[in-house]
Amino acid sequence: MIVPTITALAAISVPSGMGRWFAATASGLLRSEDRGAIWTPAETSLAFHSALTVSPDQAVVLAASTDGIWRSTDLGDTWRLRPLVQPAPIMTAIACSPDFAVDGTVLVATLEDGIFRSGDHGQTWHHASAGLLDYNVNAITFLDHTRSLAGTSSGLTRSDNAGRHWDQTDATVDPSGVVAFAGNGMNLFGIDESDRLWRLWDGRKKAIPVLDDMVIGVHLLPGVSDDRLLIVCEDQIRIGSLSGDEWTAIHRMADGRSAVASALVCVGDRSELLIADETGTVYGVGHGNVGLWAR
Amino acid sequence: MTLPTRPSVVDLRADRRRFLAGVQKVAALVTPTYGPLPRVVGVAPLSNIRRPELLDDGGLLARRLVQLDHPVEDIGAMFLRGLLWKQRERCGDGTALVAILFEALVSDGVRLLAAGLEPNALRQELEDAAAKIDAALIGTSRPVVSEAEAVAIAASICGDDAIARAVGETLWGLGSDATIEVRSHYGREVAVDAIAGSYWPSAPLTRAPLDASSDRRATLFRPAIVLSDLEINDPTAIIRTLRFAHAAGAQGLLLVARSLSPETIAIINANSSPAFPVIAVRTPGTAASDQLAMLEELTALSTGRPLIAAAGETLASIRAEYVGMTRRAWIETGHFGLIGPTGDPAPRIALLGELRARQAATPELNASDREKDDAERIQERIARLTGAAARIEVGMSDGQTTDVRKALAERTVRGLRSALRNGVIEGGGSALRSCRPAVAEMRSDSDRPERRAAAEMLRTMLAVPADRIASNVGLDPALIDGTGGSGAIDLRTGRKVRSGSAIVLDPVMTIRSAVQLAAHGAGQALSIDTLVLRRSPEQATMPDGRPPR
């Protein structure tokens, strides 16, 4: 059996209660109704799917492929293709505004084609790279509904108007660019092209390395009193405070397998981390309320 | 017209009230246009077949005033007219405010000079007091924080909702350095065309890919770019260039050159195909310095190396490192553009830093014409380097021709750009009123009468705009004065609102410029002692010697 490489994960809660998981792979988008036991192809295409997101209000699921953006408004039952530009760019990340239900803003990062933006919940897209000096964008995130950050091969660039105009920041990541983000308005962590974890943003101009493991994912775990960070390394999952000085291992990958993708799903006060390994297995970790993560 | 038939000298010290009368006539003309609900002023047409002009632009209104009958009144009027035009050129807005402030100062000044104050000392003190107000205004300014604010500022400048929305949303979205090209069109609506990437004015030198497209626009995906200011007459060098482009993995070639010989054009056309389109465009820019600047931008975005004629280079000297790349390029009849810079961004970041440093060094106020031209050029270069550009197409509306609306849109772009770059103050009239403490200490800490007088003049002046706004919208000025710190009056509705909500925002540079022009101008005007009135020009006569009717 040929196991497709999983590049991104996402999940939504559905009325039946089991939830619906999505996995973007090199040969299409897969969907599971039973927490990863059986996967079926979603009705998108067999093209390479590189990024995936569910809007904060769970109303829209967006999948980036080499065809364009696939969009579903019925929890992933049916999909429609929304082209960006021809030929279609290689997309690396999708980010929805925290206020998506109201402003409908979504940003897509691409390699070589800069950033694309939608202001109507992902229905139409236009180029939004004004001010961008490096069009190789690896990661993108919203800090709040107006401020966003993009990680390029040459550093960080920020927007203060919901991704319509970008300004290069002074913050530098040495030696290479940012490929993933997690954080809030005060603290920001990123993974560089060598899979190391850096603290990028707390008012300092220079990023500080905080973890030298092979980090493949980093997620902000919202807490009641303080936020914490979940770090998905190749062989284990760690948790720590945003001060970034102590990390506790809370899960180890089974049978020497390596994690290849992860997604944090938060519904109410319940959170679950989805992990995909190189064999194509996907499972949830830490299902429960936020407090259980610390154990 | 009552200009003297012989040159004469007038002692203005004895006739300052006439000068003031001229100032007051112009101020009365433009004052109705001041405030968040400006009124319009009708101007009779020059010919009977045209409709009267309805204007709410103080600068344009003053321009329509050609001459006053009395020669000294006329000089007062023309003096103020000059200040209004200067304000319009600087900021695109705030002309009525200049008129109100200037009238207040000259009116007080004439009275005080009659009481025996020394004009030159008063002038110096007015400048000093204006500097204190300037500092206070900077202290009360804040950045524009939302698209809604940008649209509201644009609306306060132009009073045209469609233009305000187009300019506000576009400039807020693309940033204060964006190039906004305003064009007129035959429709009635206002349309915005956001342009992806960067573009330069140019003309195609070869047309094969353009002629093949239905919309006269050629789009090249992953083309190689060869930049030059060369006159290319050697067709064999084109073949060498094409080899380098193929070797670089490009899917087309964009050649920038000053000119091409017919043989070179033939070779380019022969080698252009849908699979590998080749097109040449003229080196952008007219002056050599402009050409070099634009080639520098293109180089930073495509990471090749330009071939420069002045350095003795020819196309035959091309090597692999001269060939740049871009993700996409497009060519139209009057422009070409690049979307997606490639290669190391360090040269782009360095060039942008250098341009921003030069931009920051340009004086905010009082820039010379040359400095203003340079600043505009730098802003355009930053816009090209950062790919921030849009076109706004403006049609006619009820009562306004396309040309008037186009000028209005351009003025709005200039005013809003200033607001986004330098900040805004909340409610120009009340902000000026709140600056009164800045000059109050000048009254108390000096034994020089001119210093105390200047402080008092400016203190009085600072209260006038809020009063004038109130009376322009039909409210009692005392009502505005009595709101205190806890609330404010929304002048558009006449209702009391929470402080900070529904407040009119004015670009701080517009207000600063108006105060500075009024204070400087009043100091100058009040220190004029003597006027020389020139002889009136010879009247044309009819063939029979009678004066024309």
Side-chain angles (χ1 to χ4, degrees), chain A residues 85-90 111-113 127 129-136 154 160-161 164-165 167-168, chain B residues 147 169 172-175 196-197 221-222 327-328 339-342 345 348-349 352 356 385-388:
Chain A
V85 68
Q86 288 301 330
I90 299 167
L111 288 180
E112 295 193 277
D113 280 296
H127 207 235
S129 302
L132 204 61
L133 297 176
D134 186 345
Y135 272 39
N136 286 305
S154 52
D160 290 327
N161 61 4
R164 277 176 282 193
H165 180 267
D167 282 306
Q168 188 84 10
Chain B
E147 183 179 86
E169 290 176 1
W172 170 256
L174 295 177
F221 180 67
R222 292 192 68 79
R327 182 75 169 159
R328 295 162 208 272
I339 307 170
T342 54
R348 296 190 279 280
I349 295 169
L352 184 64
R356 287 212 193 279
L385 208 56
T386 57

Side-chain angles (χ1 to χ4, degrees), chain B residues 37-97:
Chain B
L37 293 174
R39 301 176 194 179
V40 291
V41 175
V43 179
L46 287 175
S47 89
N48 288 336
I49 57 169
R50 289 193 169 186
R51 289 192 300 175
E53 274 185 297
L54 299 176
L55 299 176
D56 64 356
D57 173 358
L60 213 54
L61 268 170
R63 269 246 153 146
R64 295 289 186 268
L65 181 73
V66 178
Q67 219 162 25
L68 295 185
D69 276 345
H70 192 282
V72 178
E73 280 187 18
D74 188 53
I75 284 174
M78 294 305 126
F79 194 99
L80 176 52
R81 194 178 91 140
L83 294 179
L84 301 189
W85 197 250
K86 193 163 188 178
Q87 170 76 7
R88 191 182 190 277
E89 293 281 287
R90 263 187 189 177
C91 306
D93 194 23
T95 46
L97 178 61

Side-chain angles (χ1 to χ4, degrees), chain A residues 8-14 19-24 29-32 39 42 50-64 69-77 79 93-101 103-108 121-122 125 140-142 219 262-268 272 274:
Chain A
L9 294 167
I12 50 175
S13 60
V14 291
R20 183 174 282 176
W21 292 2
F22 298 96
L29 182 67
L30 302 176
R31 191 175 80 184
S32 172
W39 291 90
S50 51
L52 194 57
T53 194
V54 176
S55 66
D57 60 354
Q58 301 213 58
V60 179
V61 187
L62 297 163
I69 295 275
W70 288 95
R71 177 175 184 268
S72 171
T73 54
D74 53 8
L75 306 176
D77 285 338
W79 296 81
I94 314 179
C96 290
S97 157
D99 215 3
F100 178 84
D103 60 32
T105 306
V106 198
L107 300 175
V108 165
H121 303 90
W125 295 86
I140 199 155
T141 191
F142 277 89
H219 307 277
S262 63
L264 181 68
V265 185
C266 300
V267 179
E272 183 172 26
L274 305 190

Side-chain angles (χ1 to χ4, degrees), chain B residues 116-463:
Chain B
L117 291 185
E118 208 286 304
N120 274 332
L122 183 64
R123 177 181 176 173
Q124 185 55 52
E125 297 297 349
L126 282 173
E127 301 267 4
D128 285 357
K132 287 183 190 300
I133 296 169
D134 192 54
L137 284 170
I138 292 171
T140 57
S141 67
R142 67 162 177 83
V144 181
V145 295
S146 69
E147 183 179 86
E149 283 191 357
V151 173
I153 295 162
S156 80
I157 296 169
C158 66
D160 181 318
D161 285 346
I163 289 176
R165 206 166 43 251
V167 173
E169 290 176 1
T170 308
L171 213 48
W172 170 256
L174 295 177
S176 61
D177 287 320
T179 292
I180 309 288
E181 186 188 342
V182 181
R183 291 180 175 182
S184 51
H185 72 136
Y186 292 111
R188 294 180 69 85
E189 73 279 11
V190 176
V192 178
D193 178 15
I195 299 168
S198 313
Y199 72 99
W200 292 261
S202 178
L205 294 170
T206 63
R207 303 199 55 91
L210 276 177
D211 291 341
S213 75
S214 57
D215 58 355
R216 303 276 165 185
R217 178 186 167 106
T219 305
L220 278 58
F221 180 67
R222 292 192 68 79
I225 299 184
V226 174
L227 302 166
S228 79
D229 64 349
L230 305 176
E231 294 174 355
I232 300 173
N233 303 312
D234 175 11
T236 57
I238 295 290
I239 303 296
R240 191 172 149 80
T241 307
L242 282 165
R243 286 203 184 105
F244 279 120
H246 280 287
Q251 296 176 28
L253 171 65
L254 174 65
L255 174 65
V256 178
R258 181 172 295 175
S259 66
L260 301 177
S261 67
E263 295 79 12
T264 315
I265 292 172
I267 287 287
I268 287 175
N269 285 338
N271 283 283
S272 179
S273 67
F276 194 93
V278 183
I279 191 162
V281 296
R282 197 182 302 283
T283 311
T286 43
S289 59
D290 282 347
Q291 285 189 347
L292 286 176
M294 292 190 196
L295 285 176
E296 186 184 25
E297 296 155 14
L298 283 158
T299 305
L301 291 167
S302 61
T303 56
R305 259 191 66 187
L307 291 152
I308 305 296
E313 291 173 313
T314 65
L315 194 59
S317 34
I318 191 167
R319 293 195 301 274
E321 62 266 30
Y322 284 74
V323 179
M325 292 282 282
T326 187
R327 182 75 169 159
R328 295 162 208 272
W330 55 266
I331 301 97
E332 289 178 350
T333 303
H335 300 91
F336 74 94
L338 309 183
I339 307 170
T342 54
D344 182 7
R348 296 190 279 280
I349 295 169
L351 180 56
L352 184 64
E354 181 198 319
L355 291 171
R356 287 212 193 279
R358 284 170 57 191
Q359 188 182 46
T362 306
E364 291 172 338
L365 292 171
N366 298 324
S368 65
D369 287 348
R370 191 196 169 111
E371 285 171 327
K372 275 190 280 190
D373 286 348
D374 282 348
E376 202 169 309
R377 209 165 285 137
I378 289 169
Q379 176 251 308
E380 286 170 358
R381 293 195 66 193
I382 291 173
R384 284 194 291 268
L385 208 56
T386 57
R391 286 183 193 133
I392 294 180
E393 298 202 327
V394 178
M396 64 190 292
S397 72
D398 294 332
Q400 282 190 314
T401 64
T402 305
D403 286 347
V404 170
R405 276 190 108 202
K406 178 172 177 276
L408 189 62
E410 286 167 342
R411 194 157 63 87
T412 310
V413 168
R414 206 158 61 241
L416 182 56
R417 194 191 298 284
S418 162
L420 292 174
R421 204 173 271 165
N422 303 297
V424 286
I425 53 176
E426 293 181 355
S430 51
L432 282 169
R433 190 193 284 269
S434 68
C435 287
R436 283 186 297 180
V439 288
E441 64 186 40
M442 286 177 68
R443 288 189 305 164
S444 55
D445 72 353
S446 174
D447 53 1
R448 290 201 303 277
E450 286 82 7
R451 188 167 179 77
R452 289 200 307 273
E456 187 55 38
M457 284 167 72
L458 281 162
R459 194 174 169 281
T460 308
M461 172 200 84
L462 291 170

